[in-house]
Amino acid sequence: MDKPYVIGIDLGGTNTVFGVVDARGTIVHSSSIKTGIYPDINDYVSALADGLQGVIDLAGGSGQIKGIGIGAPSGNYFTGCIEFAANLPWKGKEPLAQMLSERTGIPVVLTNDANTAAIGEMTYGAARGMKDFIVITLGTGVGSGIVVGGKLVYGHDGFAGELGHVIMRRENGRLCGCGRHGCLETYSSATGVARTAKELLIQRTDDSLLRSLEPDKITSLDVYNAAIEGDRLAIEIFEITGEILGEAFADFVAFTSPEAIILFGGLTKAGDLIMDPIRRSMDKHVLKMYAGKTQLLFSELRESDAAVLGASALGWEVKE
């Protein structure tokens, strides 16, 4: 193989992590830079190019690299631009793929960070061999990547698949960071779990291990730790979270009839505490014609590597 490696870049609001990846999905060299310290994107691209050069040299030079893939908030696959990302220093429409390609001399492909999770699962993880599936990322928010017929769904503008912003509760729905009320991620993200805990502690008088904590500082990890100790309120919080996710998944199945819905992200560490209520709720709400046809799976990618691996999978797609 003339060019046995690709590079994956996970562009986050705090850090940008990147790695050289081989065809088997092994990260052979990796490094990172700070993202938020560069208010000028030109300075950021210069720092990123310098950092990349270090791992490129370790891999034998740019002649060994087929392409670079970037997963970024509000990344548009069609344009190669980051467009009005809320949590990045650059607030406009920035042609990051073109800028980085010009600096490195290597073709660059960019997409939304949630989409890279789906690409990573299809290339290296639980969705290998599948052509129709959905990846749901359960972290600070709820992200999604939708694959139909072996191709990621981008829509006409590059931004299709924001399933975390499907409205699940219209009456008295929780305010979402997007400005609307009742979005899925306000209930079923790690942040949503913490919000549910705070609400129940205020509304109810049940004994709970969570009452020893300041309500505003409770995290989803605190809820998990209480649940595995048998705390009934904490277990109920996961039941509520899974019920809403299962309702949503029943609707998502009606959109694309996927072979699987694959869950990724920090909240999946709750295991059966979250998966069992999701499965019960999905089975309860799904149309009969779809019953039993869609698997619910956890990601097979290690969380610490998944974002870089998913982005790197884009690198194999580049046209030189």
Side-chain angles (χ1 to χ4, degrees), residues 71-137:
S74 301
N76 190 318
Y77 177 78
F78 292 154
T79 66
C81 295
I82 295 176
E83 301 186 15
F84 308 101
N87 298 313
L88 294 179
W90 325 295
K91 300 306 180 186
K93 185 175 179 180
E94 302 289 358
L96 179 60
Q98 178 184 341
M99 295 172 73
L100 188 61
S101 182
E102 290 173 352
R103 282 296 306 267
T104 62
I106 300 170
V108 178
V109 182
L110 175 146
T111 193
N112 184 279
D113 48 0
N115 288 337
T116 61
I119 297 167
E121 292 294 345
M122 184 163 53
T123 308
Y124 306 117
R128 281 171 295 183
M130 294 185 190
K131 292 188 175 182
D132 297 272
F133 65 94
I134 298 172
V135 171
I136 301 291
T137 60

Side-chain angles (χ1 to χ4, degrees), residues 157-178:
D157 62 350
F159 287 115
E162 287 288 349
L163 298 180
H165 295 285
V166 170
I167 294 176
M168 298 302 299
R169 297 290 184 267
R170 294 192 177 275
E171 186 173 348
N172 299 317
R174 292 174 178 173
L175 177 64
C176 182
C178 73

Side-chain angles (χ1 to χ4, degrees), residues 250 253-254 257 285-294:
V253 167
S257 189
H285 293 99
V286 74
L287 282 170
K288 289 184 179 179
M289 70 180 76
Y290 300 116
K293 293 181 179 179
T294 299

Side-chain angles (χ1 to χ4, degrees), residues 208-210 220-238 267-274:
S208 173
L209 296 171
L210 297 172
S220 60
L221 179 60
D222 294 325
V223 179
Y224 169 74
N225 288 336
I228 61 175
E229 292 293 325
D231 187 280
R232 291 187 178 182
L233 186 67
I235 293 169
E236 184 180 347
I237 291 166
F238 280 111
L267 204 56
T268 64
K269 292 175 183 175
D272 288 343
L273 281 169
I274 190 74

Side-chain angles (χ1 to χ4, degrees), residues 7-20 27-38 43-56 58 304-305 307-308:
I7 290 175
I9 300 174
D10 173 33
L11 198 169
T14 303
N15 297 305
T16 297
V17 182
F18 46 88
V20 176
I27 299 174
V28 295
H29 305 291
S30 63
S31 188
S32 66
I33 65 168
K34 294 292 183 182
T35 306
I37 63 173
Y38 299 102
D43 295 336
Y44 169 78
V45 171
S46 293
L48 178 56
D50 290 344
L52 288 173
Q53 193 59 54
V55 295
I56 290 170
L58 290 172
S304 60
D305 296 340
V308 168

Side-chain angles (χ1 to χ4, degrees), residues 202-256:
I202 291 170
Q203 294 168 4
R204 307 239 297 256
T205 58
D206 315 37
D207 288 334
S208 173
L209 296 171
L210 297 172
R211 293 197 180 278
S212 65
L213 304 172
E214 291 184 44
D216 288 336
K217 294 184 178 180
I218 289 174
T219 67
S220 60
L221 179 60
D222 294 325
V223 179
Y224 169 74
N225 288 336
I228 61 175
E229 292 293 325
D231 187 280
R232 291 187 178 182
L233 186 67
I235 293 169
E236 184 180 347
I237 291 166
F238 280 111
E239 290 283 340
I240 292 168
T241 304
E243 167 70 23
I244 295 174
L245 275 171
E247 287 180 42
F249 289 1
D251 288 340
F252 299 167
V253 167
F255 297 162
T256 64

Side-chain angles (χ1 to χ4, degrees), residues 187-200:
Y187 297 95
S188 298
S189 61
T191 309
V193 167
R195 290 175 75 169
T196 300
K198 180 180 177 180
E199 287 180 4
L200 292 186

